[in-house]
Amino acid sequence: MTSLPPKRPLTLRDVSEASGVSEMTVSRVLRGRGDVSENTRDKVLAAAKQLGYVPNKIAGALASQRVNLVAVIIPSLSNMVFPEVMTGISAVLDETSLQPVVGVTNYLPEKEEKVLYEMLSWRPSGVIIAGVEHSDATRAMLKAAGIPIVEIMDVDGTPVDSMVGISHRRAGRMMAQAIAAEGYRRIGFMGTKMPMDHRARKRFEGFTEALAKEGIEVADQEFYDGGSALAKGREMTEAMLKRSPDLDFLYYSNDMIGAGGLLYLLEKGLNIPSEIGLAGFNGVELLQGLPRQLATMDACRSEIGRKAAQIIAQRCAEDGPDEPEAIELSPKISFGDTLKRG
């Protein structure tokens, strides 16, 4: 059996030999520098493409101290919210030389520290990170990084640098006011058992505060951990209504468990929304395919991603602004078919 020759990384010399152009000129073309004729540029790029040559950006970064990467640190990829945020980020960065690189923390502060440490060691040009609550070590690294930092999704807190998001306390208050205004009084709440999901906690706090002003208390509540959100929504709704059959409204901390609850209620033949109303949060696209439109609230996910990426891109540009920005977006309630009296 003949052994394959050992592979070696391609070099500028390989591109030079394939294109018939000097190594120095190849280097200038691939770095987008210098006055090179269109014909020469085309020959170099064609040869590099055919060979599959990728320039060594780390070598160039040794001089500039930065690579054209933007660290994006988010808690989850299974949650539909964050892929939409990433779409917004990518849409903006696609128009620049910057490239997003994603790290996932699973809502764990110690994992966030580790991911941020590793990403900062590559000397990115900026960081986009979910939330404004971090461990002391993470905050210290963000403050010392010397690059643009944008904390996203939330504005209820003090940012290290810039922030873009919605007020989750305000979102919770808005939903509670809308529910109370429609005359619902016996309200159940369902959410996730994630102490580090600060945004869900703030929404619940805003929700209960606004209800209290209307003289209403949450009559029943339940929290779940792991598993399919749709299935959990069904299970929790069934369990809650067995415990508290007189509830007239169910508020879910996210649309996925809300969708599960809606499907369960429709199966049971309950009159929605006159007999029982329900609402979720996030405004995910999946809701468009349900038999009834679940009331929800748009969390401005894609716009948050776009605004954050714009801040990074502008701050990284030559002569770009250096001042931090705080952008609060306004969520909107979609009443759908489940938050109106019949």
Side-chain angles (χ1 to χ4, degrees), residues 12-25:
L12 284 177
R13 176 174 292 181
D14 295 312
V15 182
S16 168
E17 289 173 357
S19 61
V21 174
S22 73
E23 284 185 46
M24 185 177 291
T25 303

Side-chain angles (χ1 to χ4, degrees), residues 32-192:
R33 304 277 173 84
D35 186 19
V36 180
S37 75
E38 201 64 37
N39 184 47
T40 300
R41 188 181 307 280
D42 289 346
K43 275 201 295 189
V44 170
L45 294 176
K49 184 175 182 179
Q50 188 174 8
L51 289 170
Y53 176 78
V54 178
N56 183 347
K57 288 288 183 74
I58 292 175
L62 293 175
S64 68
Q65 297 294 302
R66 293 281 164 237
V67 292
N68 283 348
L69 300 177
V70 176
V72 181
I73 301 174
I74 56 178
S76 170
L77 278 173
S78 59
N79 184 331
M80 288 187 183
V81 169
F82 295 103
E84 287 195 41
V85 174
M86 286 305 307
T87 299
I89 291 170
S90 296
V92 171
L93 295 187
D94 280 351
E95 305 298 318
T96 73
S97 61
L98 299 168
Q99 183 72 28
V101 178
V102 181
V104 179
T105 69
N106 300 321
Y107 292 94
L108 299 171
E110 61 274 19
K111 181 89 180 286
E112 185 177 77
E113 280 179 26
K114 185 179 178 184
V115 169
L116 178 64
Y117 179 88
E118 291 297 334
M119 286 190 155
L120 287 178
S121 73
W122 286 94
R123 297 298 185 264
S125 293
V127 173
I128 296 173
I129 186 167
V132 290
E133 279 88 10
H134 311 286
S135 70
D136 290 343
T138 293
R139 286 186 75 82
M141 283 188 282
L142 290 170
K143 284 180 178 177
I147 54 177
I149 309 291
V150 185
E151 288 160 285
I152 59 169
M153 312 309 291
D154 194 1
V155 295
D156 295 320
T158 305
V160 170
D161 183 2
S162 293
M163 65 178 174
V164 180
I166 65 169
S167 165
H168 287 265
R169 283 200 179 90
R170 182 178 162 212
R173 286 197 301 269
M174 286 169 65
M175 186 59 83
Q177 288 159 358
I179 292 166
E182 293 298 332
Y184 298 105
R185 289 294 178 269
R186 294 281 300 163
I187 298 164
F189 174 81
M190 282 167 261
T192 56

Side-chain angles (χ1 to χ4, degrees), residues 79-82 84-85 152-155 164-172 174-175 197 199-200 203 251 253-255 280-285 287 295-307 327-334:
N79 184 331
M80 288 187 183
V81 169
F82 295 103
E84 287 195 41
V85 174
I152 59 169
M153 312 309 291
D154 194 1
V155 295
V164 180
I166 65 169
S167 165
H168 287 265
R169 283 200 179 90
R170 182 178 162 212
M174 286 169 65
M175 186 59 83
D197 188 352
R199 293 173 290 285
R203 281 199 305 280
Y251 179 45
S253 70
N254 65 64
D255 288 336
F281 179 82
N282 274 325
V284 298
E285 200 173 323
L287 299 184
T296 186
M297 185 174 275
D298 171 24
C300 311
R301 300 172 302 284
S302 183
E303 192 177 355
I304 285 170
R306 284 196 300 271
K307 297 279 188 193
I327 300 174
E328 179 177 346
L329 301 172
S330 298
K332 295 179 180 65
I333 292 178
S334 168

